[in-house]
Amino acid sequence: MEEYAAIKLIQTLCRRLKEERVVYCHWKSNAAIARSASGENDLDLLVSRTDQQPFTEILRQLGFKETAAEADRTFPGVTHSYGFDSDANRFVHIHAHFQLVVGQDATKNYHLPIEDAYLASSSSDGLFMVPAVEFELILLVIRLTIKHSSYSARLLREGRLSSAERNELQYLIDRASKPKMDQILKDHLPSIPPDLFETCLQNLSSNAVWSIRQRSGRKLLRCLASFTRYSPVTDFRLKIWRRVKGSFGRRILRREDKMRFTHGGMMVAIVGGDGSGKTTAIGELERWLSADFVTRQYHMGKPDWSALTILVRGILKIGRSLGFYPFMRAEIQYTHDPTRLEFPGMPWLLREVCTGRDRYLTYMKAKKVTANGGIAILDRFPLKQIQFMDGPQAVRMTQMIPRTKWIQYLIHLEESYYQKISLPDLLIVLHVGPEVAVQRKTTEIAEEVRARAAEIWEIDWSQTPAKVIDASHSREKVLSDLKELIWSQLSS
């Protein structure tokens, strides 16, 4: 057997499967099994149905999370799970089959009931259990014929084998025994004549033109008719419809063809004062997760303006330009007493109410993402412990002036938006001392940086649901801690 290196999580997984005597094999693409062992490729595992429960329990214990694709790409007896290897900084995607459902990617129209024999042929390569080469080659020829030798394949421009497919085919041909393949066909797939199978194999390996492959392929598909899930007409219609629908969704509607977490998504809010590295960390986390999963990033400190906010701000800007009121400093004033703030004027109070509404609307957008199995990462979050940023400001602004009915109404309206915002599923605080923050944020006013950082630094976070991470460490260390924490909090 060829030697290859495997990352820690995959080594642990294979050891646990062996210890629990789970019957499985890495059922395809074993020509590139080294890439699977490194986590670069998916792990395509065929698992005995009788071992589904212990297999699933092992995945849960190792921190794997079950995910699902869009409905059009979900097939019976097939599951997706992801684990995270923090040492390798890499996701491990397990594409588990409990029955051999194969075919063109849009429909997977064929179920080959040879799972038990396929698994029984397997032996260890030192790490994985792998099937007999002859079984794998037979299945590959069937898969490639279905995918590349039909009329729908020609219509969908899938008539040619890729270079990776040709390499895999040759890899197996060089190692397989024809007499053994003939015996497997006779014992387990008697509807396929060995001479027809040999013709299909030769046409694929010689890269024959599509018209030649189509003739033998049509005969092979007839032999497989009893294994189909849909009629030929339905299969053809679904292939075309799903291809058109998928292209329209990606190109016009900008939908992402990514995984969602089966047991629910998660809203993650990250809070930190100036100099904590919050913005950089959030950007890295979004890139890390969005490669595989539905992920959205929202800024709760500076939410996108709604149509109403744009209208109100536009009217206020016109009023200021006409001299109805003077220009007011936009920034919140940072004082040693966060409960008191000099009233900056009614226009600013109106804008704070609009900001509260925009934060609520942004929160609702994030809530919808997580309710549908995605991950929402929030930059900052309104918390009652923090008064300088992101919370209700109307009360602070009006401490030193008489509160008319109009002002009381605005105070109540602003507070009503914040009251509808519940705590996120995971609240993370990046903790860094005020003086460290000042040293890192040299381009801003030191006193304001120190005030914002001190407020977060001095809060007793042990009395809250927040998870605190020491942000004084290196960027790599902080990011590693964040990834491990987020992944551990997702539902399995």
Side-chain angles (χ1 to χ4, degrees), residues 162-454:
S162 68
S163 59
E165 289 170 334
R166 290 196 298 271
N167 291 338
E168 182 179 1
L169 186 64
Q170 191 59 51
Y171 171 89
L172 295 173
I173 289 173
D174 292 342
R175 290 160 173 78
S177 163
K178 186 178 183 305
K180 289 183 180 180
M181 286 195 295
D182 291 345
Q183 190 62 48
I184 290 172
L185 290 171
K186 179 181 178 181
D187 293 342
H188 304 291
L189 293 168
S191 64
I192 303 176
D195 58 340
L196 173 60
F197 177 84
E198 182 64 22
T199 301
C200 292
L201 173 58
Q202 292 301 323
N203 288 341
L204 289 168
S205 61
S206 64
N207 202 24
V209 296
W210 177 84
S211 59
I212 294 176
R213 284 190 284 110
Q214 191 275 333
R215 284 194 291 271
S216 60
R218 185 174 67 249
K219 295 177 182 178
L220 181 62
L221 296 183
R222 286 175 183 168
C223 296
L224 298 173
S226 62
F227 303 136
T228 57
R229 300 169 53 232
Y230 306 112
S231 69
V233 172
T234 301
D235 182 49
F236 181 81
R237 178 178 57 81
L238 285 174
K239 287 176 183 176
I240 302 303
W241 165 244
R242 289 175 178 175
R243 172 64 66 86
V244 172
K245 179 183 175 184
S247 297
F248 181 81
R250 289 190 299 273
R251 298 178 183 180
I252 306 301
L253 302 180
R254 302 295 181 184
R255 288 178 179 168
E256 297 174 305
D257 191 17
K258 296 179 181 178
M259 294 291 180
R260 299 176 184 272
F261 292 92
T262 304
H263 298 291
M266 185 165 68
M267 185 186 297
V268 182
I270 300 181
V271 175
D274 289 7
S276 64
K278 174 174 55 65
T279 302
T280 300
I282 289 173
E284 291 289 341
L285 291 173
E286 195 274 337
R287 282 187 287 274
W288 170 61
L289 290 165
S290 64
D292 295 288
F293 313 110
V294 173
T295 307
R296 297 288 184 275
Q297 179 182 336
Y298 300 98
H299 202 305
M300 289 289 281
K302 300 175 182 178
D304 292 338
W305 292 354
S306 63
L308 178 61
T309 298
I310 294 172
L311 176 63
V312 170
R313 283 179 172 261
I315 293 173
L316 294 176
K317 187 172 183 178
I318 293 172
R320 188 181 68 196
S321 66
L322 294 176
F324 293 157
Y325 55 86
F327 173 80
M328 294 293 178
R329 182 169 179 251
E331 294 84 359
I332 296 292
Q333 297 178 18
Y334 297 95
T335 67
H336 293 293
D337 183 0
T339 64
R340 298 177 67 81
L341 175 66
E342 182 180 348
F343 184 58
M346 188 62 71
W348 184 244
L349 184 58
L350 287 172
R351 287 196 289 182
E352 282 299 320
V353 175
C354 287
T355 297
R357 180 175 181 272
D358 289 342
R359 284 181 177 139
Y360 167 69
L361 294 176
T362 299
Y363 167 81
M364 290 304 297
K365 290 178 184 177
K367 197 70 177 174
K368 289 178 181 177
V369 170
T370 61
N372 288 300
I375 297 179
I377 304 176
L378 307 185
D379 187 340
R380 296 166 36 180
F381 198 83
L383 298 170
K384 63 181 181 180
Q385 293 86 356
I386 301 176
Q387 298 185 39
F388 281 147
M389 298 182 291
D390 305 337
Q393 299 296 326
V395 172
R396 290 183 61 212
M397 287 180 174
T398 57
Q399 285 283 347
M400 303 175 68
I401 64 169
R403 291 178 177 172
T404 64
K405 288 185 177 180
W406 172 239
I407 290 178
Q408 289 282 16
Y409 170 75
L410 292 178
I411 291 174
H412 173 75
L413 182 60
E414 184 196 33
E415 288 181 343
S416 71
Y417 291 128
Y418 287 98
Q419 288 169 357
K420 290 184 262 187
I421 299 176
S422 302
L423 285 174
D425 301 303
L426 177 60
L427 174 62
I428 301 175
V429 176
L430 297 181
H431 220 218
V432 66
E435 298 309 316
V436 175
V438 171
Q439 293 172 12
R440 291 179 175 179
K441 302 286 285 188
T442 57
T443 60
E444 298 187 22
I445 300 172
E447 279 304 312
E448 293 193 356
V449 171
R450 185 177 287 107
R452 291 191 293 262

Side-chain angles (χ1 to χ4, degrees), residues 79-149:
T79 65
H80 298 267
S81 298
Y82 282 80
F84 179 60
D85 188 310
S86 56
D87 292 340
N89 191 28
R90 176 166 285 174
F91 286 117
V92 175
H93 176 195
I94 293 183
H95 195 189
H97 288 64
F98 299 97
Q99 58 183 17
L100 285 173
V101 178
V102 299
Q104 200 268 352
D105 291 344
T107 58
K108 300 290 186 184
N109 192 32
Y110 296 83
H111 169 221
L112 303 179
I114 59 171
E115 294 90 354
D116 291 342
Y118 203 89
L119 289 166
S121 77
S122 301
S123 60
S124 175
D125 74 342
L127 180 65
F128 296 104
M129 295 295 292
V130 295
V133 173
E134 292 77 16
F135 260 107
E136 188 175 356
L137 179 55
I138 289 172
L139 201 56
L140 179 63
V141 170
I142 293 174
R143 290 166 48 220
L144 295 181
T145 300
I146 295 170
K147 185 174 181 180
H148 299 295
S149 301

